[in-house]
Amino acid sequence: DFGVLTLGDALITFNPSVTGPMRYVPTFSRKVGGAELNFAIGCARLGLNSKWVSRLGGDEFGRVIYNFARGEGIDVSEVKLVEGYPTSLNFKEIREDGSGKTFYYRYQSPILTMEPSDITEQMLDGIDLVHLTGVFMAIDKKNIEITKKLLILANQKNIPVSFDPNIRLKLWTIEEATAAYMNIFPYVDILLTGLDEIEMILGDSTEQALVECAKRFKISELVIKDGGNGARVYTNNNWYKQEAFQVTPIDTVGAGDGFDAGYIYSYLHEYEPNERLEFANGVGALVTTVSGDNEGLPELSEVLAFIRNDKVIER
Ligand code: ATP
């Protein structure tokens, strides 16, 4: 199948055993998180050859993430465990109404040891698409250079690039983020963004502003995700729209990453625009029905059955 490469930090995520303010939560369950890793897992479950480039702490938690990724069938040949840097952590608080907050402990993230020279042409052997997110760039200024080097290499080799801004205002300001995105957009073919995010970036989310953005940066697919309202894409001078699937969401974290994986899978397999949105909406919806950032990422057969509304035989 097709090969996809992504680059980014991963964290150990602690999910609270009870809802309410974190100071009153006595126990947590240990999980694995990180936008780009979620994407890599999503791609691997759909059957793509999924390569994830990262640095993890040379500690016990680093090994947890490494083994988890390997267990999912991800190519971890470009993941290194770095001594002296603790693996990043993140604790979640979930309120009674299901809304959440995140507390990061990622001051000396092992990903800070990556240098532009770590990005090599040979990394892109067998790769048909490069996917990046704004989280990696938000962690450190140097990461913008690393990102750019990878994008320039991909462009030179005619490998399409997808990008999800994944704004993290706990890591940088909207002004810093927007400046970095503007630097990156000229290299991007497929922009996958939340409606609220593109509104923050452009200061305007009317279709006219979105079309202008796509034209200005020569973005061939501008995909707008809008939670329970579904998604739309501007491509080939047309808008295509698809409603979300009706589900009862339990935990929406990771739905956007799953959507991205679904969109990229169907893009590489040359689905029509409406089918790409339907497939990606299917993956996103399934992710929301399971607690955890990546536990709900479906296998290919599950998405196809869900979209076709097949009955699942459980026993
Ligand atoms: P995040 O990065 O926080 O996961 P995002 O803004 O990138 O979020 P959303 O727009 O919240 O992504 O969700 C992505 C996709 O997941 C939606 O476009 C939709 O297909 C699916 N989805 C999300 N929430 C729901 C829901 N309540 N019901 C059905 N589908 C949903």
Side-chain angles (χ1 to χ4, degrees):
D1 212 322
F2 295 101
V4 173
L5 177 143
T6 189
L7 159 69
D9 197 15
L11 314 93
I12 291 287
T13 294
F14 287 98
N15 271 26
S17 56
V18 292
T19 55
M22 201 176 82
R23 68 187 69 176
Y24 303 114
V25 177
T27 53
F28 295 83
S29 50
R30 192 202 67 208
K31 292 167 182 260
V32 165
E36 300 89 353
L37 177 58
N38 294 338
F39 174 85
I41 296 169
C43 289
R45 292 213 185 136
L46 293 171
L48 295 170
N49 293 321
S50 181
K51 185 189 250 186
W52 174 55
V53 182
S54 194
R55 296 292 180 269
L56 301 169
D59 52 11
E60 291 294 311
F61 285 148
R63 284 169 174 82
V64 169
I65 300 174
Y66 187 84
N67 289 343
F68 185 87
R70 203 160 50 162
E72 290 290 339
I74 292 170
D75 176 347
V76 290
S77 57
E78 296 288 346
V79 180
K80 292 195 179 98
L81 300 176
V82 192
E83 292 300 330
Y85 285 81
T87 295
S88 304
L89 309 179
N90 127 45
F91 287 79
K92 275 197 213 162
E93 175 179 283
I94 300 174
R95 292 301 177 109
E96 273 73 15
D97 67 358
S99 67
K101 256 195 203 171
T102 295
F103 300 92
Y104 288 116
Y105 294 80
R106 93 192 306 171
Y107 300 105
Q108 279 295 320
S109 170
I111 204 93
L112 296 174
T113 63
M114 271 198 91
E115 297 293 335
S117 58
D118 289 320
I119 302 297
T120 61
E121 227 182 299
Q122 156 239 322
M123 220 179 233
L124 292 172
D125 284 351
I127 297 301
D128 300 291
L129 182 134
V130 170
H131 177 79
L132 293 166
T133 92
V135 184
F136 177 67
M137 294 197 296
I139 295 168
D140 190 56
K141 280 212 168 61
K142 185 177 60 178
N143 290 359
I144 300 174
E145 292 316 305
I146 296 174
T147 300
K148 245 180 140 169
K149 180 161 180 201
L150 183 53
L151 294 184
I152 289 170
L153 267 181
N155 280 197
Q156 280 169 359
K157 289 176 158 280
N158 283 323
I159 298 172
V161 169
S162 57
F163 182 76
D164 186 332
N166 251 315
I167 301 179
R168 295 286 188 272
L169 292 179
K170 285 202 172 176
L171 299 179
W172 56 0
T173 65
I174 188 64
E175 290 77 20
E176 289 173 310
T178 301
Y181 300 149
M182 296 297 163
N183 229 314
I184 293 303
F185 284 170
Y187 302 96
V188 172
D189 301 292
I190 306 167
L191 180 61
L192 301 141
T193 170
L195 180 62
D196 48 344
E197 287 184 312
I198 198 74
E199 161 101 49
M200 280 196 261
I201 297 166
L202 301 177
D204 185 353
S205 60
T206 57
E207 291 204 337
Q208 191 191 345
L210 298 173
V211 169
E212 271 168 28
C213 170
K215 295 216 150 99
R216 174 171 165 209
F217 295 108
K218 298 199 168 62
I219 292 166
S220 64
E221 315 238 337
L222 177 52
V223 185
I224 309 290
K225 300 176 264 182
D226 190 13
N229 298 317
R232 59 199 146 122
V233 59
Y234 181 74
T235 184
N236 293 326
N237 300 314
N238 272 310
W239 281 104
Y240 301 85
K241 298 176 193 187
Q242 284 286 316
E243 299 281 312
F245 288 94
Q246 290 283 327
V247 289
T248 308
I250 292 173
D251 177 359
T252 59
V253 178
D257 305 328
F259 179 100
D260 293 357
Y263 198 87
I264 292 314
Y265 175 90
S266 49
Y267 170 83
L268 289 170
H269 286 86
E270 296 183 9
Y271 286 28
E272 295 299 321
N274 276 320
E275 294 171 337
R276 297 204 280 274
L277 292 172
E278 183 188 43
F279 188 89
N281 277 340
V283 176
L286 285 168
V287 171
T288 69
T289 63
V290 180
S291 163
D293 300 3
N294 45 53
E295 284 85 335
L297 287 162
E299 293 186 358
L300 180 60
S301 58
E302 285 177 74
V303 192
L304 297 176
F306 178 72
I307 289 173
R308 289 193 304 246
N309 201 13
D310 286 353
K311 283 213 169 57
V312 177
I313 298 163
E314 300 280 9
R315 50 188 288 175

